[in-house]
Amino acid sequence: MSSVRPWRDIERRQSRQIMVGNVPVGGDAPITVQTMTNTPTEDVGATIDQIRRCEDAGADIIRVSCPTEESTANFDRITRAASVPIVADIHFHYKRALEAADKGAACLRINPGNIGSSERVAEVVRAAKANGCAIRIGVNAGSLEKDLLEKYGEPCPEALIESALDHIKLLQDHDFHEYKVAVKASDVFLAVAAYHGLAEAVDCPLHLGITEAGGLVGGTVKSALGIGSLLWAGIGDTIRVSLSAEPEQEVKVGYEILKSLGLRTRGVRVVSCPSCSRQGFDVIRTVEALEKRLEHIKTPMSLSVLGCVVNGPGEARETDIGLTGGGSGKHMVYLSGVKDHHIESEDMLDHIVKLVEEKAALIEAGDAIAFDPHAKEAAE
């Protein structure tokens, strides 16, 4: 059956599915959003508190670094406290992987080539199998093997892909197949090209990311370009937006990327104008306030906030709740795309929050559905 709007369709790459704890990754599973804690893992209380905040923001999977023996000593307290799967980030010492696997890690992030001998890789695989752990192979342009740098002269797509394939073989040689792979780079062009090449070479799930992307604004733009273009091409099964910002921000940006492409919906999707002198109210401050006050809403729904009647009515007709600026401090409220009533400026924020909360509660109770202006057309 052909799509009503084929220009919006994304055909996902077919990958096999693995389980990260109780979360499926790959296949037809929803694309998951990950982040990573930045507290000292040895500080169990601080790490758990940060995990809680990331869970509230919507993280599906959370990674925790395990660089020292002290970091894994109480790792089971962290995995037990978390309500989402925890990935143990291991770089060099294979014993940290063994300890984390025994203490509840759902996945081990390793470079098998960094672990050491084949015997040590075999030990990690045995621990992963015994504990039901998946493994993420993490290739990074900033830490490519010396022989590949000598062979290719610099980090390039071919070098990242070869590194990934070499690491995959190490796991396959030990009959381990519950793995996903990342080939990250801070250079958007390099990362995207590497992922495209790897996607053609393997059938495993791919973990997307533009590493060391930068701060909140710059890193968001780079990640949206890199991760977004790959997802648009159907490549990618789980994503981590790497920002020099709090982990909760990574989760929020990740969801915004997925929401923009129609791949995941969570919380309120806000459509708003950049504002101009025609605005009937302060759009920028209103949107800032609404986004903050509606962070607790997890139900997928839409809200349009437009400052005037030029584009306002058209956008409001596309959303669950719409607000269009008018004159003399009176603004039009749309419900499910239809003009419904006016609201005064001083009551506007509380009123819109109340409407969103009420609609979300109805949706969650099964007494309403999120508004889709094209549902009738699609059915026809």
Side-chain angles (χ1 to χ4, degrees):
M1 181 175 173
S2 61
S3 171
V4 174
R5 289 174 177 77
W7 37 269
R8 292 187 63 181
D9 293 344
I10 293 177
E11 185 176 348
R12 279 183 68 183
R13 162 185 171 266
Q14 292 299 304
S15 65
R16 56 187 175 81
Q17 190 174 99
I18 67 169
M19 296 297 296
V20 177
N22 60 356
V23 174
V25 175
D28 59 357
I31 296 165
T32 52
V33 176
Q34 303 193 25
T35 188
M36 186 174 182
T37 58
N38 57 27
T39 53
T41 307
E42 296 83 358
D43 189 338
V44 173
T47 301
I48 291 173
D49 286 345
Q50 193 171 72
I51 286 172
R52 290 273 182 274
R53 294 194 296 274
C54 294
E55 289 171 342
D56 288 343
D60 299 300
I61 298 169
I62 298 174
R63 182 157 44 116
V64 176
S65 184
C66 297
T68 65
E69 188 173 356
E70 291 74 24
S71 67
T72 55
N74 295 298
F75 196 70
D76 51 339
R77 289 175 54 194
I78 293 171
T79 57
R80 285 199 306 266
S83 61
V84 300
I86 298 297
V87 178
D89 193 69
I90 313 294
H91 279 276
F92 295 108
H93 208 299
Y94 79 103
K95 286 190 176 179
R96 302 294 83 78
L98 307 182
E99 294 157 1
D102 287 341
K103 293 192 174 185
C107 181
L108 305 173
R109 186 273 190 194
I110 62 172
N111 275 0
N114 287 348
I115 293 297
S117 65
S118 178
E119 290 75 19
R120 288 184 174 179
V121 173
E123 282 196 59
V124 172
V125 168
R126 278 195 294 272
K129 286 182 176 180
N131 292 281
C133 287
I135 288 178
R136 173 164 80 87
I137 295 169
V139 175
N140 192 304
S143 56
L144 275 172
E145 298 91 321
K146 288 182 179 178
D147 62 317
L148 291 176
L149 287 175
E150 290 173 2
K151 177 178 178 180
Y152 291 99
E154 64 175 0
C156 62
E158 293 78 12
L160 268 67
I161 294 167
E162 185 170 334
S163 177
L165 294 177
D166 288 345
H167 291 141
I168 287 172
K169 186 175 185 305
L170 285 173
L171 295 185
Q172 290 179 335
D173 285 347
H174 294 286
D175 194 30
F176 190 86
H177 306 282
E178 298 300 300
Y179 58 82
K180 52 196 174 84
V181 184
V183 280
K184 296 187 180 182
S186 59
D187 181 307
V188 174
F189 296 96
L190 173 54
V192 169
Y195 276 112
H196 273 279
L198 187 63
E200 294 180 1
V202 299
D203 69 346
C204 62
L206 297 183
H207 169 117
L208 302 187
I210 305 299
T211 193
E212 288 96 34
L216 182 58
V217 175
T220 293
V221 172
K222 285 181 70 174
S223 296
L225 284 168
I227 295 173
S229 68
L230 288 164
L231 292 171
W232 201 336
I235 296 170
D237 303 286
T238 185
I239 67 173
R240 189 260 174 120
V241 176
S242 299
L243 302 176
S244 299
E246 292 305 315
E248 307 96 295
Q249 297 296 334
E250 296 186 347
V251 178
K252 292 174 185 177
V253 172
Y255 266 100
E256 288 302 321
I257 292 171
L258 293 174
K259 283 159 68 174
S260 296
L261 293 169
L263 293 169
R264 285 285 295 272
T265 54
R266 183 185 191 275
V268 182
R269 177 177 62 86
V270 177
V271 177
S272 61
C273 67
S275 82
C276 68
S277 60
R278 294 191 304 266
Q279 64 184 353
F281 56 87
D282 189 335
V283 172
I284 294 173
R285 249 54 63 184
T286 299
V287 170
E288 286 176 351
L290 285 171
E291 286 184 334
K292 187 168 186 60
R293 292 183 61 178
L294 295 174
E295 282 185 343
H296 65 291
I297 301 293
K298 310 298 188 288
T299 310
M301 57 185 298
S302 54
L303 167 66
S304 55
V305 182
L306 283 297
C308 76
V309 295
V310 175
N311 294 320
E315 295 291 354
R317 284 193 288 267
E318 301 279 317
T319 54
D320 286 282
I321 295 163
L323 176 66
T324 298
S328 304
K330 293 184 70 173
H331 316 295
M332 178 59 71
V333 176
Y334 291 69
L335 300 180
S336 296
V338 178
K339 280 185 183 180
D340 195 84
H341 59 275
H342 286 93
I343 187 68
E344 303 281 346
S345 291
E346 57 267 28
D347 303 319
M348 184 174 66
L349 276 175
D350 289 343
H351 185 66
I352 294 299
V353 169
K354 182 171 179 287
L355 289 174
V356 171
E357 290 176 337
E358 289 175 345
K359 179 69 180 276
L362 288 172
I363 294 172
E364 289 302 312
D367 296 326
I369 60 173
F371 178 59
D372 180 359
H374 308 299
K376 184 176 181 219
E377 179 182 349
E380 293 171 350

